[in-house]
């Protein structure tokens, strides 16, 4: 593929970044992203909230402020009641309202399968962009949400999840990454991305691709949905988890004796997952504490950035 180079392009499609960023003026750049997917929970209203939180997340991952959005909708006109779509869009609108984002339009196509998401436009100061690259040796890695949404969504589809499991995973997926994003400049975050379909390892791999750093991930410190342990043991493993492992396992070293659960959860495809951030070591504990006090209760230090093993992830 051939990409046009442009002096004002700050982030494009070349480094697997979360959003496109284009400089308009020395003090202003445009942030653009689009994302949409099929339902992962049964409640249409909750699906709408989650889809919007997920779509906004790519803007937040780069430190941007989302301003406006357009609905992207695929809907089976002939086989699904229109009231379901209304609930999806109502959930989406409520999440946009909570984010301070204005809906300015949208587009619907007839499709056999319901899908929903947003095209988002935001802004950022060109010198305050937080890329997915730029982590430095010695940085600590902070993850802001529990892992396990893919495993629990699989259990929901198999009608195995308890109402309390569904409530917990829905609340996490519908939570905006806004708070963590807005705190990033205060704690000198060097690099960040959001954890979605490629799982923790896949998105970590994008952060270190082509760099002279490696990552250590400490499985004992990973925030996880407790229910995902039980469901993983019962075989509720999404297909995407196996695909992620097949794709990324060649850059991962696993210490002997790591329980199988962790070898699943690190590859679990997430929906509307948390931010993964590389933070100076002397700021990490204070940042996690601030996140906990600011309504991001599951945030945790999960590992560190090393000069050893460049391009590789050590799972210990
Ligand atoms: Co992303
Ligand atoms: Co995305």
């Amino acid at each position: 593929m051939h990409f046009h180079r442009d002096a004002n392009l700050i982030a494009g499609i070349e480094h697997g970044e979360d959003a496109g960023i284009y400089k308009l003026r020395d003090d202003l750049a445009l942030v653009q992203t689009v994302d949409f997917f099929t339902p992962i929970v049964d409640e249409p209203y909750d699906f709408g909230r989650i889809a919007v939180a997920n779509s906004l997340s790519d803007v937040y991952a780069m430190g941007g402020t989302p301003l406006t959005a357009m609905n992207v909708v695929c809907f089976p006109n002939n086989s699904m009641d229109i009231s379901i779509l209304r609930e999806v869009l109502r959930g989406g609108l409520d999440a946009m309202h909570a984010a301070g984002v204005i809906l300015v339009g949208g587009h619907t196509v007839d499709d056999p399968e319901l899908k929903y998401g947003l095209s988002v436009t935001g802004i950022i100061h060109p010198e305050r962009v937080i890329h997915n690259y730029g982590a430095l040796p010695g940085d600590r890695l902070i993850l802001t949400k529990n892992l396990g949404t893919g495993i629990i969504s699989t259990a929901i589809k198999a009608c195995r999840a308890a109402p309390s499991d569904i409530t917990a995973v829905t609340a996490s997926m519908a939570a905006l990454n806004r708070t963590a994003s807005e705190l990033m400049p205060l704690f000198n975050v060097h690099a960040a991305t959001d954890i979605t379909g490629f799982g923790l390892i896949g998105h970590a791999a994008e952060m270190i691709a082509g760099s002279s750093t490696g990552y250590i991930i400490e499985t004992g410190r990973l925030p996880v949905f407790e229910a995902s342990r039980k469901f993983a043991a019962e075989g509720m493993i999404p297909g995407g988890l196996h695909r992620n492992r097949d794709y990324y396992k060649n850059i991962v070293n696993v210490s002997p004796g790591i329980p199988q659960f962790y070898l699943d959860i690190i590859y679990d495809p997430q929906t509307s997952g948390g931010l993964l951030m590389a933070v100076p070591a002397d700021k990490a504990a204070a940042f996690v504490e601030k996140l906990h006090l600011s309504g991001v209760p599951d945030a945790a230090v999960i590992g560190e950035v090393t000069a050893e093993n460049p391009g590789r992830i050590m799972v210990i």
Side-chain angles (χ1 to χ4, degrees):
M1 235 195 305
H2 173 79
F3 306 123
H4 279 279
R5 307 242 169 211
D6 185 311
N8 291 317
L9 188 64
I10 295 173
I13 52 184
E14 286 183 71
H15 199 267
E17 296 216 66
D18 293 303
I21 301 191
Y22 190 82
K23 186 162 89 171
L24 300 175
R25 303 190 311 236
D26 285 347
D27 64 346
L28 185 68
L30 201 57
V31 185
Q32 294 178 285
T33 179
V34 61
D35 211 326
F36 61 108
F37 53 58
T38 55
I40 26 77
V41 291
D42 293 331
E43 201 57 56
Y45 176 82
D46 288 332
F47 169 52
R49 294 162 64 213
I50 292 165
V52 164
N54 182 72
S55 297
L56 297 175
S57 181
D58 282 327
V59 178
Y60 291 135
M62 301 200 73
T65 303
L67 293 181
T68 59
M70 297 204 224
N71 282 333
V72 179
V73 182
C74 301
F75 189 73
N77 286 313
N78 297 325
S79 61
M80 199 176 271
D81 195 291
I82 193 76
S83 66
I84 293 174
L85 180 56
R86 275 197 212 103
E87 278 299 285
V88 170
L89 298 181
R90 188 171 70 85
L93 206 53
D94 281 356
M96 281 181 255
H97 184 74
V101 169
I102 308 294
L103 182 68
V104 293
H107 187 72
T108 304
V109 294
D110 194 7
D111 191 271
E113 197 171 24
L114 172 64
K115 302 179 190 79
Y116 175 56
L118 297 179
S119 159
V120 185
T121 301
I123 54 170
I124 193 167
H125 191 293
E127 276 143 38
R128 290 183 206 133
V129 174
I130 298 174
H131 293 277
N132 62 351
Y133 55 87
L136 297 176
D139 284 353
R140 297 298 186 263
L141 296 170
I142 293 177
L143 176 64
T144 65
K145 289 189 188 181
N146 285 347
L147 297 172
T149 72
I151 290 168
I152 295 183
S153 298
T154 304
I156 292 173
K157 286 190 184 117
C159 300
R160 301 292 296 276
S164 59
D165 300 331
I166 298 172
T167 303
V169 77
T170 297
S172 177
M173 292 190 293
L176 300 173
N177 282 325
R178 179 183 188 175
T179 304
S181 176
E182 289 176 353
L183 290 171
M184 288 200 294
L186 302 179
F187 293 91
N188 271 343
V189 170
H190 291 146
T193 192
D194 61 331
I195 305 301
T196 53
F198 300 139
L200 175 65
I201 292 292
H203 292 279
E206 287 185 327
M207 293 179 81
I208 56 176
S211 81
S212 51
T213 56
Y215 279 5
I216 295 174
I217 290 177
E218 298 178 55
T219 52
R221 302 177 79 167
L222 292 175
V224 302
F225 292 102
E226 276 311 309
S228 65
R229 287 178 200 273
K230 168 184 74 192
F231 294 133
E234 291 172 6
M236 303 284 137
I237 304 292
L241 190 156
H242 296 294
R243 284 193 293 278
N244 287 339
R245 184 188 287 130
D246 288 345
Y247 195 80
Y248 293 107
K249 67 179 180 213
N250 60 329
I251 61 150
V252 175
N253 290 46
V254 178
S255 292
I258 302 289
Q260 179 60 40
F261 168 67
Y262 290 110
L263 306 183
D264 291 332
I265 203 87
I266 58 173
Y267 293 107
D268 187 38
Q270 302 299 285
T271 297
S272 193
L275 298 187
L276 176 63
M277 305 177 284
V279 184
D282 62 347
K283 302 258 196 278
F287 192 7
V288 168
E289 186 61 27
K290 180 70 178 171
L291 286 163
H292 291 171
L293 293 171
S294 309
V296 187
D298 302 320
V301 173
I302 64 157
E304 65 185 278
V305 182
T306 62
E308 295 81 52
N309 307 304
R312 301 195 65 82
I313 301 171
M314 305 288 130
V315 174
I316 64 172

